[in-house]
Amino acid sequence: MRIGKTVEKLTLVRRREHFNLECEGNRMETPAFEEFDPASDCDCAGCLYWRRVLPPSPTGRSTGHPAAHRALAVAAACATLGAGQAVAAPAAAHAPQRPGVPAGDEPDTPQGGKAPLHGPGGRPARPAGPVKTPPTTRAEIIRRAKEWLAAKVPYSMKDYWSDGYRQDCSGFVSMAWKLPGNEWTGSLDQYGERISKKELQPGDILLFHNPANPQNGSHVVIFGGWTDDTRSHYTAYEATRPHVRRKDTPYAYWSHSDRYLAYRYKGLTTDTAGAQPDTVKPGAQAPAPYPGAAYFGPGANNKYVTLLGRMLVERGAGRSYTSGPGPRWTDADRRATQAFQLAQGWRGREADGLPGPRTWELLVTGKGNDIKATTASPPASHGVPGYPGRALFRPGADNTYVTQLGRQLVKKGYGRYYTIGPGPRWSEADRRAVEAFQRAQGWRGGAADGYPGPETWRRLFS
C-alpha cells in the first residue's frame, strides 16, 4: 500500500515539472475566462423566433438561443500545450448589436416602449388625435386576464412578457384590453369612459392614479364581478407582487379606496356567449344536475361548491360569507345552505346544512323561498356570538374567520400592520394587530399574546 502511494506521488511530481517546463518554453500565461450573456437584440433568425415565442427569463435576461443561455468566451494568450499554434477564439453565436440602439434599451416589443414609463414630468402624454381602441368583448378581456393568471406572470415594471406587454398593473390592463401600446396609470383613462359603481361589469377597471407618486402610489385592477349581494366585495384581477392574482377584494381597494375611479373600455362590443364570466346568475343557467352528496361537506374542494355558493348568494345568503364563495367547502357554505333550507320551512335532518337533491333542485330552478334577513344565524362559542374558537387563529390557518377578524381590526384602527390584505391566511400581521388591540384594553403578558380569545372577539365586534 505504501509503495503504491509513493509511486503515485512521484508520478504527480514529474507531471507537474513537465508541465512547468513546457509552459516556460512556450511562455504560456493562464487563460482568461469571461462569461457573457447573448445580446438581447440579435438579428439572427433563431433569436427573432425565440424572442417571439418564449417568455422572458426569470432572471430578467434576454432569452436568446436556448443553447446559448450561457456562452463562454475563452482568450488564450499562448500556444496550446505541445502544439505551438495560437488558438482561435470561438465564433460569436450572435450577430453584433445593431448600430444606433443604446445598451440597456427597452426590449423590442410589438407595442414599442414608453420612455419614461410615467410620461414627461409624471404627466400623461396625450396624443394629438383620438386614441385607437381595437374592438373586444367582456368575455375576451377576462379570458386574456386569466391567461396571465394561469401563467403566474411575475410583476415587473421593466420586463415584458412574451406577448410584448409590460409586466406591471397598467401593462396587464393594456394586455387585457388589447391596446396597441403599453400604457400607464396616467394614460389608461384615455381609453375608457367614466362609469359609476352600480354600472360596473366584468372587464371594467378601477383606476387610481397618483400624480405626486405615480410609481409607488398608483394602481389599477380589472373588475371581475361582485362576490356578495351587498356589493361590498368583488373579484379583482391585478398584476402585483409577486405575480398576477385573482382575489376577493373590498370595494374599491385595500388602500386609497376613495380615490379609485371606475372606467369602461371605449372599444367594448356586445358579448355573445359568456358575456359575464364571473357574475353569471346561477338561477338563470340551464339546470345543472345534482352531482351527489360526496361533492359537499368538510374536505370538499370542487366547482360544485362554488356554484352552490353563488346560487345561495343569489337567494339572499350573502351575509353568511365574509369572502367567497369559493371551491373549498367552509362553514359559511353550511350556514348558507341551512339558512336556505330553513327558509323552505324544513326542520331537523332536512335542514342540516348539506345540500340534497331537493335543495339543489330549488336552487338551480330558482324556485322556493328566498332567505330572509332573520333566517341565518352566526355560530357561537364560549357564549360569544360569532366566535368560532381558538383553533381557527393559529399559524397555518386559512379560513373566512381570519378575513373577518382582519377587516374588523382595520375598521377599529389597527390596520397599520397590514401591507396588503387582510386575507384568509393567518399571518404575523394578524397577530400583531390583535396584540395591539389587546394591549389597548390594558392587558399584558399571556392576555396580550396576539391570538383572539372569546373576550377579545366580544370586545372587537361589540
Side-chain angles (χ1 to χ4, degrees):
M1 183 66 71
R2 289 182 178 177
I3 295 175
K5 288 184 177 180
T6 303
V7 171
E8 184 178 356
K9 184 181 292 185
L10 288 172
T11 302
L12 291 172
V13 170
R14 288 175 180 173
R15 286 179 179 175
R16 188 180 297 115
E17 290 174 352
H18 177 73
F19 177 84
N20 291 339
L21 287 172
E22 204 161 20
C23 283
E24 185 178 354
N26 290 299
R27 296 181 180 178
M28 177 180 180
E29 297 178 5
T30 305
F33 295 88
E34 179 188 358
E35 261 190 336
F36 69 91
D37 286 317
S40 62
D41 54 357
C42 174
D43 278 321
C44 74
C47 285
L48 291 175
Y49 171 77
W50 288 112
R51 276 204 304 272
R52 188 170 62 252
V53 302
L54 290 182
S57 166
T59 61
R61 295 188 175 96
S62 175
T63 306
H65 288 293
H69 279 268
R70 276 293 180 193
L72 187 65
V74 182
C78 74
T80 306
L81 291 178
Q85 295 181 355
V87 178
H94 296 265
Q97 293 187 354
R98 294 193 296 268
V101 179
D105 197 11
E106 290 182 338
D108 186 15
T109 75
Q111 287 72 38
K114 291 274 186 198
L117 171 62
H118 302 295
R123 297 184 301 274
R126 301 287 174 177
V131 297
K132 296 181 180 179
T133 54
T136 188
T137 65
R138 296 188 182 281
E140 179 68 11
I141 292 171
I142 298 298
R143 184 193 66 78
R144 289 168 66 84
K146 287 181 176 180
E147 287 182 355
W148 273 33
L149 176 69
K152 293 185 176 180
V153 175
Y155 181 87
S156 175
M157 295 176 66
K158 61 180 180 179
D159 293 334
Y160 294 73
W161 197 238
S162 55
D163 54 14
Y165 288 97
R166 195 176 56 248
Q167 296 167 210
D168 59 5
C169 62
S170 49
F172 176 58
V173 172
S174 299
M175 178 276 302
W177 278 7
K178 209 172 182 179
L179 300 182
N182 278 292
E183 300 302 325
W184 65 296
T185 55
S187 60
L188 277 172
D189 63 321
Q190 303 171 82
Y191 297 85
E193 55 183 1
R194 281 285 306 278
I195 58 174
S196 64
K197 175 183 176 180
K198 65 180 181 181
E199 295 177 290
L200 276 168
Q201 295 184 48
D204 299 334
I205 65 170
L206 290 166
L207 172 66
F208 165 43
H209 175 61
N210 180 13
N213 189 1
Q215 182 166 348
N216 296 320
S218 303
H219 193 48
V220 61
V221 303
I222 297 175
F223 180 84
W226 299 109
T227 61
D228 57 20
D229 55 353
T230 65
R231 297 195 173 188
S232 62
H233 287 73
Y234 66 98
T235 300
Y237 293 85
E238 59 180 325
T240 186
R241 293 179 177 84
H243 51 68
V244 172
R245 71 177 185 181
R246 176 178 57 192
K247 189 173 179 66
D248 178 21
T249 304
Y251 182 85
Y253 199 66
W254 303 102
S255 57
H256 304 291
S257 180
D258 59 333
R259 301 185 64 180
Y260 277 79
L261 302 176
Y263 287 89
R264 175 165 297 158
Y265 180 51
K266 290 179 179 178
L268 200 64
T269 60
T270 304
D271 276 315
T272 53
Q276 296 183 345
D278 281 6
T279 55
V280 176
K281 298 184 182 302
Q285 292 178 338
Y290 178 63
Y295 284 85
F296 307 101
N301 189 349
N302 55 77
K303 64 181 182 180
Y304 295 105
V305 176
T306 304
L307 178 58
L308 171 72
R310 289 179 177 174
M311 292 190 293
L312 288 167
V313 168
E314 185 68 19
R315 302 301 293 274
R319 64 186 63 86
S320 297
Y321 294 92
T322 56
S323 65
R328 185 180 297 279
W329 179 270
T330 66
D331 195 54
D333 296 299
R334 184 196 64 76
R335 295 199 311 271
T337 303
Q338 186 178 44
F340 179 76
Q341 293 167 337
L342 291 172
Q344 313 313 310
W346 304 345
R347 296 296 182 269
R349 296 183 63 180
E350 288 186 324
D352 59 358
L354 296 173
R358 275 186 74 195
T359 303
W360 188 265
E361 180 184 2
L362 292 178
L363 287 171
V364 298
T365 58
K367 298 179 180 179
N369 301 323
D370 289 344
I371 301 169
K372 295 183 178 174
T374 57
T375 306
S377 58
S381 177
H382 299 75
V384 179
Y387 179 62
R390 293 179 182 273
L392 296 180
F393 307 103
R394 287 290 182 269
D398 190 341
N399 55 75
T400 57
Y401 298 106
V402 177
T403 306
Q404 182 182 2
L405 172 75
R407 288 175 179 170
Q408 190 66 8
L409 286 165
V410 171
K411 185 177 178 181
K412 291 285 187 177
Y414 297 89
R416 63 183 179 276
Y417 300 100
Y418 295 98
T419 55
I420 189 169
R425 184 177 295 279
W426 180 265
S427 67
E428 179 64 14
D430 295 301
R431 192 199 65 76
R432 292 180 63 191
V434 172
E435 182 183 15
F437 176 78
Q438 291 169 334
R439 289 185 176 276
Q441 313 308 307
W443 304 344
R444 297 294 182 268
D449 59 358
Y451 297 98
E455 184 60 18
T456 300
W457 189 272
R458 186 186 67 79
R459 294 194 182 195
L460 188 59
F461 285 90
S462 63

